[in-house]
Amino acid sequence: MGLEEHIRLANVNQPKHQSISPSPSVIDLVVAGGENGFSQGAGGGGNISSTNSSPKRRRARRGSLAVTPLSTVPTIYFDENFQLENPRTFDVVSERSDVICPTPANSTEGSVLSSGASVSSLNSQRRALATNAILQEKLSWYMDTVEVHLISSISTASSSFFAALGDLRELHSEATASVQKIQGLRNELVRLDEEQAVKGLEIVRLRRRRDNIARLEGAVKQTERVLQTFQSAERALVDNEVDAALVGVAETERLICGRGQEGLLDLRHVRALEAVSADLVHLRWRIGKAFEARFVEGLLTDLRKHVERVPPAETLRRFAQSFQREQYQRFVSARQQGDLQPPPRSSSLPPEYTQLSDSLRSQLMRHLNGLQRAKHVNEAVQAYRDAVIKEAKSLIRRNMPSDDDNESVMSGMTNSRSGGIRTSSQDRSMLLARSLRSLGPADSEDLLVKIYTSVSELVRRLGTQQKMLLDVTMRMGETGVGGMLSPRLEQNGFPGVTNGEQNPNGGPEPISMDISDLISSAVEIAQSQIVKIVKVRSEQVTVYGTDWFLRYFTLNRLFTQECEAVSVRVGSGLQNAVSAQIREFLNLWQRERIRMLAECLEKDKWAPREFEDEQQKGVDRIMEAATRDPEDWVRAGRIWELRDEEDNTAPTPMPTSVAAGGSDTAVSNGNGTETNGGRAPVSGKPHAVVDNQKFILPESGIMVLRELEGYLKLLIVIPGMAADIANNLLSFLKLHNSRTYQLILGAGATRTAGLKSITTKHLAMASQGLSIITSLLPYLRETVRRRTPQSPTLQDFDRVKLTYQQYQSEIHTKLISIMSERVKIHVLNLKAQDWDAARISEEAGGKYYMETLCKETTVLHKVLSKHLPKEVLVGIMTPVFEDYRVRLGDGFRDVVVRSEGAKERMIQDAQMFIDRLSKLDGYSNSGAAILLIARAKVVIGRSSTPAISSNNSSSSSQ
């Protein structure tokens, strides 16, 4: 049981009539309790019985009793923020006791309550602080416990504390002695300083002053030399002696920096020379501008001379060689080279743009050396770049057409409007655009050739100049003339060696001579100007003839390839402009082809036409295109060869309507005759040949073959538009097939071409026109496949071929049906004939069915054998004769023979059929079957035979 509970119970057990008084302290309890008490140390209780007991007795009691742990003290007393004035802290410490004791409400309450109830009421009510004996005992207990622990801790650490205090006193005495010794040494040093050091320093100061005065005198003289050298450099620059002026500037800088001679001073921080330094910078800049002008003029002069010296034909041949080498590499990579050999060079000598004179090289070396010494290389390179860009613009401007009449008209219009004011830029642009639009195909080609070749030679020469500049800087670095290696060369391990002149930072100035981006910039500027020219002439270009447009396309293609070869950055403006023109040209060309085809089909008389040798060569080229590009087609795009052959002449441009339709080919005049641009008639063969098969063609068939060659030529020369051209070709073939069907089988030609009827000849010619296309379609498909291997249009060619074969089969069926209708009529005549009557001869005006049938069949065979191949002829005649056998046999069976003469005449008809038709193709013994039927006839009614014969004889005599 704890101390608090023990005290509380002791107080509760007191008599009820006694008043509550303060309890004795813990020390009193210990003294009173004897062996059960607690011994306390000094300092806590002033009334402790320590004076009444000896120290030995107290130590005996402390040793015999255990020390109360600090954990018995509430933690609130150890809180760092313990403040008794805090109400909450006070409330906890006072255990909720009242500071003022309240008056009891009923004084007799204690006597009324029983002992058990009295204890309950005392525990529940709040005691007064002054009379709370338990709280006082607790606080006293806590203080005693803390005192005991303090005394124990102090007694434990007392020995080490006094030892440390002694050591501290010894250190203090030693420090005092050391301070006294230091003070003595200081006094001794002061005495030595006054007697010896001060006099020596004065001597040193005077000597230093003398040296400074001597240096000042030298600096003044050095400044005088600086001013004199600077003035001499200015005079040399005025006299145009740039090298001497640059030497003076270098000497002035050397004097200012104090380098190159012993005893010179660094005067760069002298304020009196700040103006000289600024003037020196300006003088160096003027010298650099002089070297810059020489440097730029030398390179630009070389560019202009080179562009003027190289003829356009030579540049075009170089374009061609580069293009052919690219094609060769493409074929080799695709393993399609065959007999293709690498194109030979036009000359064993290197190209003209790579040739540089030694004088130009030495001149540039001098200029670059001066620029490097003048620290003006970067500015000179930038000026060179700007000059090249201006030169590229002016190069195109110089080749622009100038129409004096247009200029005079435009000048008059401007003067009339503005009273003599100069033509505005907008008016000049309109004038130039009108002049460009007025150019013909040949003049336009000459313009583009001049521009493209000039730009190509310009950028090629720029590349050569770039290599030369890099080579010159490398040589200058190796020979120690200058240290102007570009970063590219320095990265490759070429050291920069200087001639002794260094920049203020102590090293050579880094200089870049790489102008590869200048080439790209020049190409971009030139292309931007060319795009404007190309777009202005879009309307005229899209109505070119096929050959002229192919030349135009090839020229732009060669130039674009040249730009890609020399520049790492090429815009797409020119390609986009030309591609748009190609698409527009193909659309117009396709519409014109469709119009021409429809017009030719409608006006065609479906009569056989002579097939010229040149047209047969075109068919051969169509077949050749399935395996390789025909030389004639490829040559159509070789503008360099064509221009050489023209000998300064160009083909006369055709009118727009003719040029758009292909002015280089023969066209029909609508009357079945052919005009060929005024040329004399060319002899040829009556038929075309495809795979050893002959075809006799009408005018429309020849026209289709000619246009097929045009389609394939565009497909070969313009590979980028192969898919669109293939689709246009399919549309063209579909229209030819369907329109032929409508005009022939639908009898539309009787209205459009004025035919009275569709005859066998017309059907045969239509069949031939479709048949030759069917034979050429595999070649067309293979040609398209070579250019667009993955194109979905390849299946469309197969479907178009099936449609052609279907329509051709319907034409053959139409021929068979015509003869079937004829034999039906003849069978009716056979049945209606009086077999007993004598036959009226054809000379007498009679038309006998068998004679008419044999004549019609013979004519049919003659027409078909003349226009159709034998296998097709047999395929048509065999069903015809089979129909003859069936229908004539049925007719003979149905006829009633009443006399031997009638039977004999029937046998004669069958024999006539055999005699006149047995040699025709497709006969297959049909006459023999008819003859057997005639011989097997049974004569009915012999009595009437004489009368009939007599009547026949009388009529015959009449």
Side-chain angles (χ1 to χ4, degrees), residues 386-406:
D386 298 339
V388 168
I389 297 300
K390 292 180 181 179
E391 180 66 20
K393 293 181 179 179
S394 64
L395 186 66
I396 298 175
R397 193 180 302 111
R398 288 196 298 268
N399 290 294
M400 287 292 101
S402 59
D403 191 342
D404 297 336
D405 296 335
N406 290 340

Side-chain angles (χ1 to χ4, degrees), residues 248-316:
V249 169
E251 180 65 19
T252 304
E253 284 188 343
R254 185 185 64 80
L255 291 174
I256 292 176
C257 296
R259 295 195 307 265
Q261 184 178 352
E262 186 177 358
L264 295 180
L265 301 177
D266 188 357
L267 304 180
R268 285 177 292 182
H269 302 290
V270 177
R271 287 194 174 185
L273 293 179
E274 288 182 356
V276 177
S277 299
D279 293 340
L280 190 64
V281 171
H282 181 67
L283 182 61
R284 180 183 291 275
W285 178 82
R286 291 168 57 191
I287 295 173
K289 292 297 290 183
F291 278 112
E292 173 189 310
R294 296 181 180 182
F295 173 75
V296 173
E297 184 63 25
L299 292 176
L300 282 184
T301 301
D302 176 70
L303 285 176
R304 295 191 184 103
K305 289 183 178 180
H306 173 72
V307 172
E308 295 174 357
R309 183 171 58 251
V310 180
E314 183 66 25
T315 305
L316 285 178

Side-chain angles (χ1 to χ4, degrees), residues 498-644:
T498 64
N499 60 349
E501 295 183 7
Q502 295 181 345
N503 60 11
N505 296 327
E509 181 183 2
I511 297 169
S512 174
M513 296 299 295
D514 188 3
I515 57 174
S516 58
D517 57 336
L518 173 59
I519 297 177
S520 300
S521 301
V523 171
E524 288 181 352
I525 291 296
Q527 282 203 0
S528 65
Q529 300 294 324
I530 293 171
V531 167
K532 297 178 182 178
I533 301 174
V534 170
K535 289 183 177 180
V536 166
R537 287 192 51 81
S538 294
E539 184 177 353
Q540 288 72 32
V541 168
T542 52
V543 296
Y544 275 2
T546 304
D547 289 343
W548 277 114
F549 187 83
L550 291 179
R551 292 173 64 160
Y552 172 79
F553 165 75
T554 304
L555 180 60
N556 284 279
R557 182 181 181 184
L558 293 176
F559 179 69
T560 303
Q561 178 182 345
E562 175 72 4
C563 293
E564 293 175 351
V566 299
S567 175
V568 297
R569 185 179 68 254
V570 180
S572 59
L574 181 59
Q575 291 183 354
N576 294 337
V578 175
S579 297
Q581 291 178 350
I582 293 174
R583 287 190 291 270
E584 183 63 22
F585 169 80
L586 291 178
N587 292 334
L588 295 176
W589 196 83
Q590 175 68 7
R591 288 198 293 267
E592 185 65 19
R593 301 276 91 63
I594 296 298
R595 185 194 65 78
M596 292 174 58
L597 175 62
E599 182 179 353
C600 184
L601 287 172
E602 290 175 357
K603 296 181 179 181
D604 194 1
K605 300 296 184 180
W606 302 99
R609 297 296 306 278
E610 187 178 75
F611 203 70
E612 300 176 359
D613 294 338
E614 186 62 31
Q615 294 170 344
Q616 179 61 47
K617 293 179 182 179
V619 175
D620 296 338
R621 287 191 290 268
I622 293 175
M623 293 186 291
E624 180 185 359
T627 55
R628 53 178 297 176
D629 297 342
E631 181 64 23
D632 292 342
W633 295 355
V634 176
R635 189 174 176 274
R638 294 176 181 172
I639 184 174
W640 56 93
E641 296 180 3
L642 298 176
R643 290 180 65 88
D644 290 341

